[in-house]
Amino acid sequence: MKFLGVDIGGTNIDMVIYDKTFKHFATYPTSEYIEKLNEILKKIIKKEKIDAIGIGAAVWIKNGKIVNAPNLPSIPDFGDVPIILDNDANCFALFAYKTFAFENLLAITIGTGIGSGIIINGKIYRGNGLAGEMGHLFVGGNKKCGCGGIGHLECYFGGKAMKEKYGKEAKELLKDDFIYSTEEFNLFCRVVSNAVALISPLAVVFGGRIGMNLNEERLKEGIYAYLPPLFDPEIKVVKDSLAVAKGACLMAMSKL
Ligand SMILES: [Zn+2]
């Protein structure tokens, strides 16, 4: 059987095909291709004989229904070929789980914004649907967040917020370890340590355009500075820019 995994990000759309192993299939710039995505997918399904599709995107799902999908023009429908749409951070969490096999883990993506997914006893924990929105935890101040709230972590840390404050793109933030010297990185580490104290995961796994380029030791140092003494999660970084697309693929496989 063949599965297609699609990661619809703010910048790029990444596609992988799983046919015994993962293969990178294509990458498109989101702004140019998002409107024709359904047509492209239809062609790929036919040509590659795809059995199911998984899509990871910035979608908020509540009670099994999509309540917010800012990057999607419409929810695709491909007739007989099942399609599974899920939050991109959940896709990343599933990929992290399959990679490291930690039964309990917290997966965090840092890109334009911050996403997170929680694996509890080998399963994605969803709560009432919105579990794991770490980027929208209140950290203080009255900056307005993209979600409509105020003072959320994403207002300070993440590619967009950091660019607004320092005028630096992701690459420059990472250059010469600049990012680790910022108060925002410190704030982020405090929030991660709070989340660890709350759910006690075996590991915290990082990914995303910025997250995948962070240093495990620097992250560990930052997070452990605030952790209660008995907590000792492993800190891992997934250096794979296709992790969300692969997770979306796994999502499709698990549903079929
Ligand atoms: Zn928010």
Side-chain angles (χ1 to χ4, degrees), residues 216-238:
E216 284 177 353
E217 284 308 312
R218 299 299 288 263
L219 279 165
K220 191 171 177 181
E221 212 175 283
I223 297 160
Y224 270 60
Y226 299 101
L227 271 183
L230 291 173
F231 290 85
D232 57 353
E234 290 206 38
I235 306 294
K236 297 275 187 194
V237 171
V238 175

Side-chain angles (χ1 to χ4, degrees), residues 60 133 135-137 144-155:
W60 291 26
E133 286 297 341
H136 303 283
L137 290 180
K144 204 151 181 0
C145 183
C147 75
I150 56 156
H152 293 173
L153 177 61
E154 220 173 80
C155 302

Side-chain angles (χ1 to χ4, degrees), residues 1 16-17 22 24 40 46 64 72 92 101 110 112 119 153 215 219-220 228 246-247 249:
M1 293 193 111
V16 298
I17 285 181
F22 284 115
H24 178 218
I40 295 170
K46 213 172 152 201
L72 285 180
F92 177 69
I110 312 164
T112 308
I119 300 279
L153 177 61
N215 176 279
L219 279 165
K220 191 171 177 181
K246 288 176 183 175
C249 227

Side-chain angles (χ1 to χ4, degrees), residues 8-13 30 34-35 37 56-59 68-74 88:
I8 305 176
T11 311
N12 286 326
I13 301 171
T30 307
I34 190 73
E35 295 295 338
L37 182 63
V59 291
N68 188 13
N71 294 334
L72 285 180
S74 62
D88 46 7

Side-chain angles (χ1 to χ4, degrees), residues 37-47 77-78:
L37 182 63
N38 290 358
E39 271 170 64
I40 295 170
L41 288 175
K42 258 183 211 160
K43 278 184 199 152
I44 297 172
I45 290 168
K46 213 172 152 201
K47 193 159 171 259
D77 175 10
F78 304 113

Side-chain angles (χ1 to χ4, degrees), residues 58-113:
V59 291
W60 291 26
I61 298 168
K62 203 175 159 192
N63 299 321
K65 285 207 179 83
I66 291 162
V67 287
N68 188 13
N71 294 334
L72 285 180
S74 62
I75 308 303
D77 175 10
F78 304 113
D80 291 343
V81 179
I83 172 161
I84 288 93
L85 183 66
D86 208 327
N87 184 273
D88 46 7
N90 282 344
C91 294
F92 177 69
L94 186 61
F95 182 70
Y97 172 59
K98 295 285 177 190
T99 304
F100 298 113
F102 291 111
E103 285 290 302
N104 296 288
L105 71 82
L106 171 62
I108 302 172
T109 60
I110 312 164
T112 308

